[in-house]
Amino acid sequence: MARSLVPIVLVGLAGLCATVPAVAQQAEPRDPSTPTLFDPHFDSGRSQQFRRPGQPARAGEVTRPQSGAGTTGFDATNARVKQKAKEAARKRALAEAENLPPIAATAPDRTVAPVFQRQESRAAQRRRATNSAPITLDATGTVAARPIRKRIDEQDPFGPVGFHAGSLLYKPAVEVSGGYNSNPGQRTLPKGSIYEKVAPELSVKSDWSRHEVSADLRGSYTWYNSNGLDNLNQPNLDLKGKARIDITSQTKADLEGRFGLQADNPGDPNLPNNIATPPLYITPGATAGISHTFNRLELSLKGSIDRTAYGDAETYSGAVVDFGDRNYNQYGARVRASYETLPGIKPFVEYGMDQRRHDRENDAAGIARNSDGSTIKVGSQFELSRYLVGEASIGFLERRYADAAFPTIRAPLLDATLTYYASPLTTLKVYANTTVDESILPGVAGSLRRDFGVQFDHAFRRWLVGTLTLGYGTDNYEGSNRTDNRYLIASSLIYKLTRELHFKAEARREWLKSTIEGWDYTTNIFTVGLRLQR
């Protein structure tokens, strides 16, 4: 019986072998990435079941889809739809920021345009939206430099606009005025005169992303028409140039050059009484410095050199008086450390020293006028925009003279230059300064000069501004009992017809009271004029 079963088993095995290849040909091929029970990385879902929420899957681990997700490739989380919505919202926000028509969330254009064509299309839309100058493209598709627009000072709608030449902004102006001066010679017995004055000026400033160059050039000339007073005609030059070099984001170098030319004050006690034409003198100088910022701490070092040189004067008899013994050079250095305690408030401490060396070792009286000075002061800088700007400091100064007959000048000092914006229409400016001036009076070491001033500006209208100025100063001649007290009061009104044309009227009174008889004087000045600016 067993033998009879053998043929049957063999026939069954042959049929099974013929059937398996056919079934294998009809079945779909298995994805190699699909794990099997024999794959060491296969996970039946137990590891995912016990994984904490938010815990990432292990490398190479195949995770089971979340509940509700299909296995046919459908994304139940709508991630692609959300991503497209975010992209469309971002494009609309960019379009609104650039004042362009919003970009509709349409199907993306699969055609890739050249880069320069996309830039040109974008530039055309921006040109239509802002009505700016046409934007040109060079051969490489880069946007060419567009013309520099004029910057308008919105704080002052009647302020100068200026014009650009290259990367520099120029603001020219000229003032033409005339009036009456009751005492141009500043004498006890006054003699008045009508006068005319022309004062041109030019402001230059760079428009660079780094570094900066600026210049402030001012000049004037005053003519007196009365007979015997034409010798008091006064030229004046005040030229300043500055440069800032940004070495790094925290280190910068500052350079400054200056030049001044003016006539000596007719009432200067250093001039003899018989001087008919006061001498002219020049004050050239230069300053170089470097500063570095350590977070809120800033350290700076500056060195300077200045010269004062006097010309000859002429007496009423025609004789020439030499003032060469008043010429000297001054060399100085200052170091400052400041720390920004609050935004816009930066306290500082500063120490400075200088040397004054005269061209002639001794003056006409045989006195050595060379001296060494030093100052130390503490104060604060204020940069609270549209509220308080400037700096103020107090300290102590000392000047020692080479001649042992002269006493050492020691005095407290007060320096301030502050602008307080009380309101959008009212501004208050405060000024204070303490210096030691040279003197050639016999027995006088020097003149301790103090100046204080306050100025109120109020705009009744944006085109009508009134100004009130008050000033007080003292000159203490160390080594003598002479003290001069100076006073000033002035009021003016400016009518701004247009940006280019302003009218001005001013009344001014100056007077001096001295402890020495015969040196008091009073001057009243009335001025009207116009200002042309660009």
Side-chain angles (χ1 to χ4, degrees):
M1 182 176 181
R3 292 182 178 180
S4 62
L5 292 177
V6 171
I8 298 174
V9 174
L10 292 177
V11 173
L13 290 176
L16 180 61
C17 293
T19 306
V20 171
V23 174
Q25 292 179 0
Q26 295 177 2
E28 295 181 359
R30 185 182 66 85
D31 187 357
S33 62
T34 303
T36 64
L37 292 175
F38 304 98
D39 194 334
H41 298 288
F42 176 76
D43 190 352
S44 61
R46 180 171 301 178
S47 61
Q48 182 179 3
Q49 179 180 359
F50 296 98
R51 186 179 298 115
R52 292 189 303 271
Q55 180 180 358
R58 293 189 298 268
E61 178 182 348
V62 179
T63 60
R64 187 172 54 189
Q66 297 293 335
S67 176
T71 58
T72 60
F74 175 73
D75 186 3
T77 61
N78 291 330
R80 296 181 180 178
V81 177
K82 293 179 180 179
Q83 183 64 25
K84 291 181 179 179
K86 290 182 180 180
E87 185 68 18
R90 186 184 66 84
K91 292 182 179 180
R92 285 195 297 270
L94 291 176
E96 292 175 0
E98 297 180 2
N99 294 326
L100 298 176
I103 302 176
T106 57
D109 187 5
R110 300 301 181 183
T111 60
V112 179
V115 176
F116 71 92
Q117 290 185 7
R118 293 200 298 271
Q119 291 181 351
E120 184 177 10
S121 175
R122 200 68 174 173
Q125 295 180 15
R126 188 179 295 107
R127 182 171 65 254
R128 289 193 300 271
T130 60
N131 194 21
S132 61
I135 299 177
T136 59
L137 303 174
D138 55 19
T140 61
T142 305
V143 179
R146 60 170 37 175
I148 302 178
R149 299 181 182 177
K150 296 181 180 179
R151 294 183 176 179
I152 299 177
D153 185 5
E154 296 298 339
Q155 298 295 340
D156 185 4
F158 293 92
V161 177
F163 64 91
H164 282 89
S167 60
L168 299 179
L169 175 62
Y170 297 84
K171 293 183 179 181
V174 60
E175 289 189 9
V176 180
S177 59
Y180 179 79
N181 190 331
S182 65
N183 189 6
Q186 299 180 350
R187 304 298 183 183
T188 303
L189 300 177
K191 181 179 180 181
S193 173
I194 297 174
Y195 73 93
E196 297 87 24
K197 182 178 180 180
V198 176
E201 63 183 66
L202 175 63
S203 175
V204 183
K205 190 174 183 180
S206 63
D207 189 10
W208 302 337
S209 59
R210 291 189 61 198
H211 316 302
E212 183 179 88
V213 173
S214 63
D216 190 9
L217 314 177
R218 299 175 183 269
S220 66
Y221 196 90
T222 304
W223 295 268
Y224 291 98
N225 297 329
S226 298
N227 294 331
L229 294 180
D230 54 352
N231 57 332
L232 299 179
N233 294 344
Q234 296 180 353
N236 186 281
L237 280 178
D238 186 10
L239 312 179
K240 296 180 181 179
K242 296 182 180 181
R244 189 196 73 240
I245 303 175
D246 299 327
I247 302 174
T248 65
S249 60
Q250 295 177 314
T251 306
K252 65 179 181 178
D254 295 306
L255 304 175
E256 179 181 350
R258 49 193 174 272
F259 180 84
L261 168 66
Q262 53 187 326
D264 200 0
N265 190 347
D268 187 355
N270 294 292
L271 298 179
N273 291 330
N274 61 343
I275 293 294
T277 304
L280 301 178
Y281 67 95
I282 60 173
T283 54
T287 300
I290 187 170
S291 62
H292 184 79
T293 303
F294 303 89
N295 198 358
R296 294 187 178 185
L297 176 65
E298 181 178 357
L299 301 178
S300 63
L301 175 65
K302 292 185 178 181
S304 63
I305 178 173
D306 293 275
R307 176 169 176 79
T308 302
Y310 284 82
D312 297 335
E314 186 178 349
T315 64
Y316 288 104
S317 61
V320 177
V321 181
D322 180 19
F323 285 99
D325 55 350
R326 301 180 66 180
N327 300 343
Y328 68 93
N329 297 326
Q330 177 171 309
Y331 311 93
R334 290 181 298 166
V335 58
R336 172 182 288 196
S338 59
Y339 186 84
E340 187 176 10
T341 57
L342 295 173
I345 300 178
K346 186 182 295 185
F348 67 85
V349 57
E350 179 181 292
Y351 176 78
M353 61 177 63
D354 66 81
Q355 295 180 343
R356 293 180 181 176
R357 298 294 180 260
H358 288 71
D359 294 354
R360 301 175 184 176
E361 185 176 354
N362 299 323
D363 62 5
I367 301 175
R369 294 283 179 178
N370 293 338
S371 63
D372 298 329
S374 61
T375 60
I376 183 171
K377 55 185 178 180
V378 294
S380 179
Q381 292 178 305
F382 301 94
E383 297 180 2
L384 307 176
S385 300
R386 306 307 302 171
Y387 183 72
L388 182 63
V389 178
E391 74 174 45
S393 62
I394 59 174
F396 190 81
L397 65 82
E398 180 181 88
R399 181 157 295 278
R400 301 170 301 276
Y401 290 87
D403 198 316
F406 288 151
T408 299
I409 299 178
R410 297 184 177 92
L413 64 84
L414 173 62
D415 293 339
T417 305
L418 296 173
T419 301
Y420 171 63
Y421 299 92
S423 70
L425 301 178
T426 305
T427 303
L428 172 64
K429 298 180 180 180
V430 178
Y431 171 80
N433 189 32
T434 306
T435 57
V436 177
D437 293 342
E438 295 292 297
S439 177
I440 59 173
L441 295 178
V444 175
S447 172
L448 179 60
R449 183 184 181 95
R450 302 179 186 272
D451 291 284
F452 309 93
V454 59
Q455 177 178 318
F456 301 91
D457 294 322
H458 182 74
F460 303 98
R461 296 290 187 271
R462 287 187 175 269
W463 43 266
L464 186 64
V465 180
T467 301
L468 176 63
T469 304
L470 303 175
Y472 172 72
T474 62
D475 296 318
N476 297 322
Y477 294 87
E478 302 295 329
S480 71
N481 60 353
R482 174 166 184 166
T483 300
D484 294 345
N485 296 317
R486 295 171 282 105
Y487 305 89
L488 163 68
I489 181 171
S491 62
S492 63
L493 190 66
I494 300 178
Y495 173 63
K496 301 178 181 181
L497 183 62
T498 64
R499 279 189 181 270
E500 292 77 19
L501 180 60
H502 297 175
F503 294 97
K504 180 179 180 180
E506 182 184 40
R508 184 185 187 95
R509 181 182 177 88
E510 300 177 2
W511 67 98
L512 180 142
K513 299 294 182 181
S514 177
T515 56
I516 303 299
E517 186 178 357
W519 287 92
D520 297 352
Y521 70 85
T522 301
T523 300
N524 297 313
I525 306 173
F526 303 94
T527 306
V528 293
L530 59 87
R531 175 184 176 88
L532 300 174
Q533 64 184 16
R534 178 72 170 84

